[in-house]
Amino acid sequence: MAFWKRLWRLEIPNKIKLFLWRAASDILPIAVNLFTRKVIPSPLCSKCGKEGVSTMHALWQCNGNKQFWPFFRFGIG
């Protein structure tokens, strides 16, 4: 509960707060979630081909996405 209060009090754009909330709630439109809802035919990661892509994989673990994170700076720590 304290995490959510802290998240909503951050002085960052609301769209970033909403993204973080969706990521923490595991409701981002990632391959596994879209496959479960029959939106896409395969749960494979489009960057690395790994099967069963989770939110953690999509945001942090996929080598195809790691190249973008150095460009972002969030004061969340």
Side-chain angles (χ1 to χ4, degrees), residues 19-20 23 54-67 69 72 74 76:
F19 174 80
L20 294 172
S54 66
T55 300
M56 285 299 293
H57 173 81
L59 295 178
W60 309 111
Q61 298 167 342
C62 180
N63 289 330
N65 292 333
K66 283 183 181 180
Q67 63 185 332
W69 284 111
F72 297 99
F74 301 113
I76 298 171

Side-chain angles (χ1 to χ4, degrees), residues 34-63:
L34 295 174
F35 178 74
T36 301
R37 291 174 179 85
K38 300 181 190 312
V39 175
I40 61 174
S42 172
L44 295 176
C45 176
S46 63
K47 300 282 185 187
C48 68
K50 184 177 177 184
E51 204 167 330
V53 175
S54 66
T55 300
M56 285 299 293
H57 173 81
L59 295 178
W60 309 111
Q61 298 167 342
C62 180
N63 289 330

Side-chain angles (χ1 to χ4, degrees), residues 3-18 20 73-77:
F3 171 77
W4 300 118
K5 286 184 181 183
R6 189 170 166 201
L7 173 67
W8 297 121
R9 289 183 183 154
L10 289 174
E11 293 187 23
I12 57 177
N14 285 332
K15 63 183 177 182
I16 294 177
K17 291 179 195 178
L18 185 59
L20 294 172
R73 304 238 190 276
F74 301 113
I76 298 171

